[in-house]
Amino acid sequence: MADIEDQVRRAYAGRAAEYTRLLGDIADMDERDRDRISGWALQIDGPVIDAGCGPGHWTDFLHQRGVDICGVDLVPEFIEMARSRFPAVPFRTSSFHTLALQDESLSGVLAWYSLIHLQPTELPTALAEFRRVLRPDGRLLVGFFEGPAAEPFQHAVAEAFYWSVPRMRVLLENAGFKVLDTEMRRDEGGRRPHAAMTATAL
């Protein structure tokens, strides 16, 4: 697990500036994603983490909407950039496996395309950690590439994995969540199919 995390950390560290330039502006994000994430946040009253915040654009997006949010990421270079770009927003370095938060201390966890690099055997551990830090009825929003469950593909930065909606639902339920809604879409231009799931902690 530590070896895989280190590989992902190094892969993103080497391309953090490029990633931020290409994908770190909220204005370039799909309007449907902005609507889904802001709508999800409206249902939350309490502290939230943006798990795998990258350069921090989604964290700041929610911060500007009054959400009590902290961005966390495995990659120190991303955290440094996020702090520089959004000085009013808290950010810190953290692994998903040990979030260093008290049990049931959060009202929400956003994991927007941040679980895709986890090995299939590691994903249940990360989801269980999200459940540990969420209060009962706390909300989780997960975004991922939809496809054959646990099938690897060559992501631009590091190896990533597809997840099917049915399999992700099972994983969330096994981790102590109830799935509330699901979105799937296939965008034009040959982009990989998108899926998002909102779940509540039981």
Side-chain angles (χ1 to χ4, degrees):
M1 179 177 69
D3 289 343
I4 298 297
E5 279 196 347
D6 189 55
Q7 290 174 22
V8 173
R9 182 188 295 110
R10 286 187 284 106
Y12 272 97
R15 302 183 66 176
E18 176 189 7
Y19 184 99
T20 302
R21 185 175 67 254
L22 295 175
L23 297 170
D25 191 333
I26 203 70
D28 295 330
M29 300 296 100
D30 193 295
E31 183 178 0
R32 292 167 293 183
D33 294 339
R34 295 197 299 267
D35 289 344
R36 169 165 278 273
I37 290 173
S38 60
W40 168 80
L42 288 173
Q43 305 170 34
I44 297 171
D45 181 17
V48 175
I49 61 166
D50 180 3
C53 64
H57 50 300
W58 284 117
T59 323
D60 179 66
F61 174 77
L62 292 179
H63 173 79
Q64 290 189 30
R65 282 151 182 78
V67 178
D68 177 11
I69 192 166
C70 176
V72 300
D73 201 277
L74 185 66
V75 183
E77 288 80 1
F78 272 149
I79 295 301
E80 291 174 9
M81 287 182 179
R83 287 171 174 165
S84 175
R85 298 171 74 210
F86 310 114
V89 185
F91 295 95
R92 63 181 178 84
T93 305
S94 177
S95 165
F96 293 165
H97 298 93
T98 51
L99 288 170
L101 294 167
Q102 294 183 352
D103 293 357
E104 300 184 357
S105 58
L106 297 179
S107 295
V109 174
L110 175 65
W112 199 246
Y113 284 89
S114 56
L115 300 173
I116 63 171
H117 297 298
L118 291 178
Q119 293 290 313
T121 55
E122 297 176 359
L123 184 55
T125 302
L127 294 177
E129 179 70 351
F130 291 164
R131 174 60 191 89
R132 182 188 68 80
V133 299
L134 276 170
R135 300 167 182 166
D137 296 327
R139 298 296 180 98
L140 170 67
L141 176 55
V142 180
F144 57 98
F145 293 112
E146 199 277 332
E151 180 177 294
F153 66 90
Q154 286 304 119
H155 184 270
V157 180
E159 182 182 57
F161 296 88
Y162 291 109
W163 287 99
S164 68
V165 164
R167 183 57 183 157
M168 182 62 78
R169 177 184 292 272
V170 169
L171 289 167
L172 288 167
E173 290 173 350
N174 289 345
F177 290 95
K178 177 183 178 182
V179 174
L180 300 177
D181 64 73
T182 301
E183 173 203 356
M184 291 187 290
R185 70 171 186 260
R186 186 182 294 271
D187 297 333
E188 297 179 357
R191 297 180 180 179
R192 296 183 181 94
H194 159 91
M197 301 183 81
T198 301
T200 188
L202 297 175

